[in-house]
Amino acid sequence: QDIANTAWAFACIGWLNLDFFVALLSSMSIEHQDSLNDKDLSQLYLVSLHFQLEFPDHNFPLAHMQSELLTAFNRQEPRPSQLQHNVAAALNRIGWNHSFEYETPEGFSLDMAQPETKCAIEVDGPSHYLKCNGRRPTENGRTKFKSRLLFKLGWTIIHIPYFEWNALLNVEAQDTYLLTKLRSFGV
């Protein structure tokens, strides 16, 4: 578990030292691999994506576990929030056709997506942010990591922060907000 957490944390911050990842992951014994739970395996799956995207000419040290890592990652069921449903309804109102809870070939669940254009809307509730003592909330590492991986996979990700959405007083304001947000990304 310590190795999985450490590898995930360094991948999360975008660490680009190949030797570090090879040494860390190669040190994982078979007994250690057998004791990993779904959370550990899911973290290692994200590490494998980071590794493949950043070091494409090198083999991932745990490549023999890739299907097990992906299976654990895919076991995480999406739990759409009411906020997410509200944003989806507003996107429908403005004519932005999308797939709800779209799963990418890599296993990422996207709140709303247009797979043909690789454009997605991610509705970010409070769990996506760090608390900042009266200042504007800051995205947490997990959210930034997912966005970075998706960007490297060719996706445009448009974030809808809960605090911006909750400040909108009516459907007209919501629609205008989304149209402006989409335009700012050239969508």
Side-chain angles (χ1 to χ4, degrees):
Q1 181 181 2
D2 291 341
I3 292 174
N5 284 337
T6 302
W8 179 83
F10 276 86
C12 194
I13 63 168
W15 195 253
L16 297 178
N17 186 312
L18 172 66
D19 294 336
F20 168 81
F21 285 105
V22 170
L24 179 67
L25 297 170
S26 297
S27 72
M28 191 179 292
S29 67
I30 297 298
E31 296 80 29
H32 191 135
Q33 292 173 21
D34 291 340
S35 70
L36 297 172
N37 61 32
D38 274 358
K39 180 183 176 205
D40 301 328
L41 295 169
S42 293
Q43 286 180 323
L44 288 171
Y45 175 71
L46 293 173
V47 171
S48 77
L49 281 178
H50 169 74
F51 193 95
Q52 292 163 19
L53 293 167
E54 298 298 346
F55 314 112
D57 298 331
H58 298 276
N59 292 324
F60 182 59
L62 302 176
H64 63 283
M65 296 177 63
Q66 194 66 29
S67 90
E68 185 181 359
L69 302 178
L70 178 57
T71 298
F73 185 73
N74 284 335
R75 273 196 283 266
Q76 300 173 19
E77 290 293 320
R79 295 181 309 274
S81 66
Q82 186 57 53
L83 174 64
Q84 186 178 333
H85 285 286
N86 292 344
V87 172
L91 287 168
N92 287 333
R93 276 195 313 270
I94 65 169
W96 198 75
N97 298 325
H98 60 274
S99 297
F100 189 79
E101 285 299 339
Y102 176 77
E103 186 175 309
T104 70
E106 298 79 18
F108 285 109
S109 176
L110 300 173
D111 294 343
M112 281 79 66
Q114 290 182 335
E116 60 283 353
T117 62
K118 285 191 135 181
C119 182
I121 304 264
E122 286 284 271
V123 179
D124 296 336
S127 66
H128 291 265
Y129 293 92
L130 303 172
K131 307 287 186 261
C132 293
N133 295 334
R135 294 187 312 231
R136 180 183 172 101
T138 301
E139 283 184 330
N140 63 27
R142 180 178 170 191
T143 299
K144 286 182 178 183
F145 187 30
K146 178 181 177 182
S147 295
R148 188 173 69 248
L149 290 174
L150 286 165
F151 177 78
K152 287 190 169 279
L153 291 166
W155 284 87
T156 297
I157 305 298
I158 302 169
H159 292 274
I160 308 295
Y162 74 97
F163 49 88
E164 289 180 4
W165 186 261
N166 290 345
L168 303 171
L169 301 177
N170 54 47
V171 294
E172 292 79 17
Q174 293 171 349
D175 295 354
T176 299
Y177 171 86
L178 288 174
L179 287 167
T180 302
K181 195 83 144 162
L182 290 167
R183 275 191 216 107
S184 74
F185 281 86
V187 177

